[in-house]
Amino acid sequence: MGKLPALDGLRALAIGLVFVLHLSTGLLRAVPALDSHGLLARLAGAGGVGVALFFAISGFLVGLPFARANQPFSWREYVRRRVFRILPPYYLALLGALLGQLALGWAGGRELLPSLLASTLFLHNILFGAWSRILPVAWSLEIEVQFYAIAPFLGKLFKNPRAEWLLGLGALAGALGSALGNPWLVRWHLDRSSLSDGHFFLLGLALAGRFVRLGGKLAHESYLWDALGLLGLGGMLFFWGHPGPIAQIAALLGILGLTLGALHGKLGPRLARLAAPVGTRCYSLYLVHYPLLFLLLKLTSRLPHPPGFGATLALQLVLIGPPVLLAAELFHRAVELPCQKYGKKRKDY
């Protein structure tokens, strides 16, 4: 089955949505006069659904070797790959963000020390019920790490011929439970945990199981899947942030449509391949974009800007996007790639 550039294309979409979300929220804070109630501002603010897409892609990719069941599982190799892929880049980005805040006088060492210790141990969400003060985006990485810890146990489900259906039903039940049980999750600082977002990983695992069982295809190629992918993306963005389970269900259905469109549409696979180079750098983009974005916004938001939220957002994308991409490329080549190569002995999943 080889590599799947379509999934890297979906990763590019996911990090793009997250970047637009962070840029729009930062821009609205820097320029309060901008209208934040229009449709475009609302859609930009729904970019957090990109994190849900990331989780589902992780579930898919991690689930593939378990679903194939023709590769002996080694805890040592599994942990080694993830440790070297995740920890050195993360800790370097965390240190850079810490030193940057100290150098700019945005916060003091005593202020940031508790956040640093909790973030280092991937416990910030659970201990404080809030984003890290040093690298706020790390809340989702903490959930990823929780999933990696339980994924081998979930992988045992693939011994059951109905595993994909069990996982799919689990994803649906998890979405309902996350939405309906949110007040209790918030109370116990579990609203940013595998209990609140695990259903997206389960969907990815279910798709991986079906993908393997059908010999590397989820469906036959058709423009229908392109249309379903666009419909899924629109539904995800429109319903994200709604109260109750509708946002979670819409996100699950949207991710399903996007996956089918990227893998088996007529146009989707081509677009995904074009975006794949960005997707392969998504971890570096994820780590460096947030602090750099807000640093640059302090400069660019002072420039004259056109009227309207959309035009101003587009201008900021042109100004901030290239330096962020350049920084991510440098980080990817200097840090992420060497760590990946050191951490794996065989070709990765």
Side-chain angles (χ1 to χ4, degrees):
M1 293 176 205
K3 290 191 174 183
L4 297 170
L7 295 186
D8 283 326
L10 289 181
R11 280 172 164 165
L13 172 62
I15 194 62
L17 291 171
V18 171
F19 182 81
V20 169
L21 165 66
H22 292 157
L23 179 58
S24 65
T25 53
L27 183 59
L28 290 171
R29 282 199 291 266
V31 189
L34 287 174
D35 179 19
S36 61
H37 302 291
L39 178 61
L40 188 58
R42 179 181 171 185
L43 292 177
V49 76
V51 178
L53 180 55
F54 268 130
F55 289 160
I57 295 168
S58 291
F60 191 106
L61 293 173
V62 171
L64 282 178
F66 296 110
R68 288 169 182 159
N70 59 358
Q71 300 176 0
F73 177 74
S74 165
W75 269 103
R76 183 175 180 179
E77 185 177 347
Y78 178 81
V79 172
R80 176 186 173 89
R81 287 180 176 180
R82 276 145 192 86
V83 162
F84 282 99
R85 178 179 175 82
I86 294 170
L87 295 190
Y90 169 61
Y91 287 149
L92 187 59
L94 194 66
L95 178 62
L98 171 68
L99 295 177
Q101 290 192 46
L102 293 175
L104 293 169
W106 292 355
R110 289 185 179 180
E111 231 180 318
L112 297 177
L113 182 59
S115 190
L116 175 65
L117 294 175
S119 296
T120 300
L121 298 172
F122 298 97
L123 292 174
H124 203 286
N125 298 344
I126 293 174
L127 291 179
F128 297 109
W131 296 332
S132 167
R133 296 194 59 183
I134 301 171
L135 195 62
V137 298
W139 71 269
S140 57
L141 185 59
E142 292 188 20
I143 299 176
E144 286 269 359
V145 169
Q146 293 170 20
F147 168 68
Y148 293 148
I150 63 174
F153 303 101
L154 293 172
K156 294 181 183 296
L157 290 174
F158 287 113
K159 294 178 181 179
N160 188 317
R162 297 181 180 178
E164 63 206 57
W165 296 106
L166 294 174
L167 290 164
L169 289 173
L172 182 60
L176 294 173
S178 174
L180 299 177
N182 186 257
W184 290 274
L185 293 173
V186 171
R187 180 179 178 182
W188 295 103
H189 294 176
L190 295 172
D191 54 316
R192 298 184 185 95
S193 71
S194 55
L195 289 178
S196 63
D197 293 275
H199 47 287
F200 297 117
F201 295 106
L202 292 180
L203 174 63
L205 287 169
L207 291 173
R210 189 161 183 81
F211 184 79
V212 170
R213 190 171 66 81
L214 296 179
K217 291 186 81 69
L218 288 169
H220 295 293
E221 188 178 289
S222 170
Y223 284 114
L224 171 65
W225 306 126
D226 293 312
L228 190 62
L230 284 175
L231 183 64
L233 177 60
M236 290 164 64
L237 292 173
F238 183 79
F239 289 110
W240 192 251
H242 279 60
I246 185 170
Q248 303 295 325
I249 301 299
L252 286 176
L253 293 176
I255 290 169
L256 176 61
L258 281 170
T259 305
L260 286 165
L263 288 172
H264 304 305
K266 295 279 191 178
L267 301 175
R270 299 176 192 173
L271 294 174
R273 282 193 290 272
L274 287 174
V278 175
T280 59
R281 291 153 175 77
C282 68
Y283 188 46
S284 292
L285 274 165
Y286 164 81
L287 290 174
V288 306
H289 84 277
Y290 193 88
L292 186 56
L293 183 155
F294 278 88
L295 179 62
L296 292 172
L297 258 180
K298 288 188 174 294
L299 303 174
T300 61
S301 62
R302 298 174 184 175
L303 298 174
H305 54 82
F309 173 83
T312 305
L313 180 64
L315 174 63
Q316 294 297 328
L317 279 171
V318 171
L319 294 174
I320 292 177
V324 169
L325 286 172
L326 176 60
E329 179 66 21
L330 295 174
F331 191 88
H332 175 73
R333 290 177 179 270
V335 180
E336 185 184 358
L337 273 181
C339 291
Q340 284 184 23
K341 292 176 180 177
Y342 186 79
K344 61 185 179 183
K345 296 179 180 178
R346 300 185 309 180
K347 193 175 182 180
D348 208 350
Y349 301 152

